[in-house]
Amino acid sequence: VIIYEKVSHVSSCIKNPAKSVSIPDDIFFMENPLEKCRLNPLPKSEYFKSVDDLPGKGDLLPIDTEYVALTLAHKVPSKQGRTLEIKPSRSSLARVSVLVWNPDKEKEEEKTKTLLDDYIVTREPIADYLTRFSGIKPGDLNPSSSQHPVLTLKAVYLKLRILVQRGVIFIGHGLTTDFWICNLYVPPEQIRDTVNLFHLPYQ
């Protein structure tokens, strides 16, 4: 989704493009058209059923993303015995997992609830599922036979945009890369990245 906004001066450009266009919260629960292709329907979430159940400003949401490789990197050996990468690999977003963490709950099982665990269908051939890193296997991204919820990239993007505009705080590791591949802008005050919080000296 590309959004253009006419401004009179460069200095007056909006600081937060995520707030330039508001997305209705109801879209978060929009019916998934890919479910019509499914052979065995999946149960719906028992915790998040309406807009009133969605997290709001200041709520802590751990997030993680996984990818698959559409093309592999092209590497050649150099005269110095090293490997040079001539052409980098091309990745595609394959899974987005978002939890809602509420440390105020007394019971341990009530502190964390799954808000999103969506797999993203891709129309391009997949060169490597990167299973050893992502855990994604052949068939997981097939909307008709997958044992997981499979959505379009746009549908998952809209869900994330809704969470951003509701003011939640995302927690994760290496979120700059995750949000870049998701093509999602998140204000810095809504990010808690462990890369910046915990690191060894001189690394």
Side-chain angles (χ1 to χ4, degrees), residues 3 51 54 58 72 87 91 99 103 119 134-135 145 147-148 155 158 177 179:
I3 300 174
V51 172
L54 290 177
L72 302 179
K87 185 177 181 181
S91 302
L99 304 178
Y119 289 64
S134 67
S145 59
Q147 298 179 356
H148 313 282
L158 289 174
T177 302
F179 292 142

Side-chain angles (χ1 to χ4, degrees), residues 110-124:
E110 294 181 353
K111 290 184 178 181
T112 305
K113 295 180 180 179
T114 302
L115 177 62
L116 287 181
D117 192 17
D118 295 336
Y119 289 64
I120 293 91
V121 65
T122 177
R123 303 302 180 187
E124 298 185 54

Side-chain angles (χ1 to χ4, degrees), residues 2-201:
I2 302 177
I3 300 174
Y4 295 95
E5 181 168 325
K6 186 176 181 180
V7 294
S8 56
H9 301 286
V10 176
S11 58
S12 63
C13 290
I14 52 176
K15 295 182 179 180
N16 186 354
K19 294 183 178 180
S20 59
V21 176
S22 179
I23 300 175
D25 292 344
D26 293 341
I27 291 182
F28 194 94
F29 300 96
M30 182 175 57
E31 183 179 355
N32 179 16
L34 296 181
E35 284 295 316
K36 297 179 181 179
C37 306
R38 185 176 295 280
L39 300 177
N40 299 310
L42 295 176
K44 296 184 179 180
S45 173
E46 57 181 300
Y47 301 113
F48 305 98
K49 301 178 180 179
S50 66
V51 172
D52 295 333
D53 299 327
L54 290 177
K57 186 174 182 179
D59 288 339
L60 303 175
L61 272 62
I63 183 173
D64 189 29
T65 59
E66 303 295 345
Y67 312 94
V68 292
L70 301 179
T71 59
L72 302 179
H74 180 57
K75 301 179 180 179
V76 296
S78 66
K79 295 181 179 180
Q80 292 77 21
R82 299 180 179 179
T83 301
L84 299 178
E85 187 176 281
I86 304 300
K87 185 177 181 181
S89 62
R90 191 162 60 92
S91 302
S92 175
L93 185 64
R95 182 182 181 183
V96 176
S97 302
V98 180
L99 304 178
V100 177
W101 184 49
N102 190 345
D104 297 329
K105 294 291 184 179
E106 294 183 1
K107 295 182 179 180
E108 197 67 31
E109 61 271 15
E110 294 181 353
K111 290 184 178 181
T112 305
K113 295 180 180 179
T114 302
L115 177 62
L116 287 181
D117 192 17
D118 295 336
Y119 289 64
I120 293 91
V121 65
T122 177
R123 303 302 180 187
E124 298 185 54
I126 298 175
D128 190 350
Y129 284 88
L130 305 174
T131 305
R132 61 192 181 279
F133 305 115
S134 67
I136 297 175
K137 302 176 182 178
D140 284 347
L141 306 182
N142 187 332
S144 61
S145 59
S146 177
Q147 298 179 356
H148 313 282
V150 181
L151 287 78
T152 63
L153 179 60
K154 182 178 180 180
V156 175
Y157 170 82
L158 289 174
K159 288 185 177 183
L160 293 175
R161 270 289 308 271
I162 289 172
L163 295 177
V164 172
Q165 70 185 21
R166 289 180 68 89
V168 304
I169 297 176
F170 292 103
I171 304 173
H173 185 80
L175 293 182
T176 300
T177 302
D178 290 350
F179 292 142
W180 180 75
I181 295 185
C182 292
N183 195 27
L184 181 72
Y185 173 81
V186 181
E189 61 269 19
Q190 291 180 237
I191 298 176
R192 302 292 185 270
D193 198 330
T194 56
V195 167
N196 302 322
L197 297 177
F198 307 104
H199 61 276
L200 297 176

